[in-house]
Each structure stands twice: as C-alpha cells, then as structure tokens.
Amino acid sequence: MEMVLLTALGVGGATVAGAVLGFAFKKISHRFSDVVLAFAAGVMLAAAVIGLILPSLEYGGSGGLFVTIAGIFCGAFCLNLLDKAVPHLHRLAGVDQEGHPAKTEQLNKVLLFVMAIAIHNLPEGIAAGVGFGTGNTGEAITIAAGIALQNVPEGMVIIAPMLAAGMSHGRTFLAALATGLIEVIGALLGYFAVSLSTAVLPFALAFAGGTMLYVISDEMIPETHAHGCERGATYALLGGFCLMLIMSHYLG
C-alpha cells in the first residue's frame, strides 16, 4: 500500500513539477511542446498496450478476448461522454480563434481548458492504480512512469494561459495542484477497486487502457500535429514507444 501511495503522489506530483517549470518557462515554443507531448504519447501508447490491454487478455481466461474488447470500448466511450460536456483541448486553448477576446471570455476558456485536463487525469490515475492491482510491481511502475512523463509537459502548458488571462500566481499554482490531486485520487480508486475484487481485474485493465488510447488518439496526436511539426512529433512518438518497450523488457 505504501508503494501505491508513493507512486500515486509521484504521478500527481509530475503535473505539479511541470507547472513549476511552466512558471520558469512561460514561453514554450509549439515545436518543443509538440515533440515532448508526442514522446509522452508514445510512452502512454506502449504502457496502455503492454501494461494494461495484454495483461487483461491474460487474466481474462476463456472469455478474456470479449471482456478486453468490451473494457476498451467502455473506457473510450466514457471519455467520449466527458468530451461532450467539456470541449476539446485545442479549442479551449483558443489556438483556432482570431483576434483577442475580452478578459472574462478568455479566463472562462482557460478555466475550461484546465478542467478538461483535470477530467482526463482521473482515468490516467486509475490506470496507474489498476496496474498495481495485478501484483506485478515492475509492470505497474512502468505504467506509472509513462503517465508521469506525460504529466510534466501537461503541467507546463497550463500555466502560461492562466497567467495571460489575469490569474494570480497563487491561484494558478493551486489550479495546477488540483489537477495533480485528481490523479492521486484516481490511482487510489483504481487500486482499491481491483484489490476488493480480482474478478473485475481484466475489465478494469482494459477499461483503463481504453481511456488512455482515447486520450492519445483524440487529444494528444491531433494537438502535436497541429503546428507544422508532424514529422518530428511522429518520430518522437516512436521514440517514446520504444523506450517503454525497453523498460518493459528489463522490468517486466
């Protein structure tokens, strides 16, 4: 349990660490941000497939394939419902808008942007917690490391919009801290859900994997390909994926 709690704090703390870097580097180029986020997407892709979906098949028994597929689609569908309530991140960031909207409107968009990141942090935290429910600590740490790596640039990119919208440094940091705390809560929920009933383990693993695949495809890849750095982002994604293959090979 101590390992789970420390890992949950580490995963959530990665967002806060990114936020601190965001204060130091308020102006982050699209090229740098896209490459880092694409690398993190590759890490998450490998973590979802190797650490969650394939183990779901192994633990599922004779009906494992059906349970895994159902879990993947249920996880994706749940995030799709959230997306209907909270619009896409690139639209909330205002990158497609022309001109300069009023401060109030800008602040509302920024807060929705931060809310969307917070909502997406919940299933990522659950994925980290569910990983520990398998009993394979090395595999769980690999999944958590991949999520934490993705959280650092995510924490960085939320700082500049909030400051530009007129929020104080203190409130901006508290907002970033809240997004990280949600991930800690998700990790604990995932761990206890699987610990209480191993019967739900195959579905829970696939569900968490489905949420991660949805975030990667619906948010991260389109965002990293929206600013003219598609080739670099593609190779960065491959690099992140291969890094996780290496980690899984030596830690699994």
Side-chain angles (χ1 to χ4, degrees):
M1 181 58 198
E2 291 181 1
M3 176 66 74
V4 177
L5 183 58
L6 288 174
T7 303
L9 292 174
V11 169
T15 300
V16 179
V20 172
L21 291 175
F23 281 111
F25 303 98
K26 297 178 184 178
K27 296 293 184 181
I28 302 173
S29 70
H30 277 309
R31 179 174 294 275
F32 176 77
S33 176
D34 289 346
V35 168
V36 173
L37 283 174
F39 182 85
V43 170
M44 287 181 63
L45 179 60
V49 175
I50 299 172
L52 295 170
I53 294 174
L54 292 181
S56 171
L57 286 172
E58 295 175 5
Y59 290 110
S62 58
L65 180 60
F66 174 78
V67 172
T68 298
I69 292 175
I72 291 172
F73 275 95
C74 284
F77 183 68
C78 283
L79 282 199
N80 186 35
L81 291 179
L82 291 177
D83 271 345
K84 291 183 181 298
V86 180
H88 289 207
L89 299 187
H90 65 276
R91 274 182 267 165
L92 292 172
V95 297
D96 296 327
Q97 294 182 354
E98 296 180 1
H100 300 281
K103 281 292 182 181
T104 301
E105 182 181 352
Q106 181 184 7
L107 180 58
N108 287 336
K109 289 181 179 293
V110 169
L111 292 179
L112 283 174
F113 170 55
V114 176
M115 185 189 303
I117 288 181
I119 289 173
H120 286 155
N121 277 354
L122 182 62
E124 290 176 6
I126 292 175
V130 167
F132 278 97
T134 65
N136 189 331
T137 303
E139 192 173 79
I141 291 176
T142 301
I143 296 170
I147 296 172
L149 180 61
Q150 180 258 337
N151 285 345
V152 174
E154 199 170 74
M156 292 175 66
V157 300
I158 67 175
I159 294 301
M162 286 192 285
L163 293 177
M167 288 182 64
S168 67
H169 283 67
R171 287 181 181 273
T172 298
F173 181 75
L174 287 177
L177 183 64
T179 63
L181 180 61
I182 288 176
E183 201 140 25
V184 175
I185 294 172
L188 295 177
L189 286 175
Y191 173 73
F192 283 117
V194 173
S195 298
L196 292 175
S197 176
T198 55
V200 304
L201 178 58
F203 182 83
L205 286 168
F207 184 94
T211 62
M212 291 177 70
L213 291 179
Y214 184 93
V215 171
I216 293 165
S217 177
D218 191 65
E219 300 290 353
M220 299 181 74
I221 292 178
E223 181 66 22
T224 58
H225 285 229
H227 311 114
C229 191
E230 296 88 348
R231 188 66 56 83
T234 297
Y235 281 109
L237 185 147
L238 293 174
F241 189 91
C242 290
L243 173 64
M244 284 301 284
L245 284 179
I246 295 171
M247 292 178 63
S248 177
H249 178 75
Y250 287 105
L251 294 179

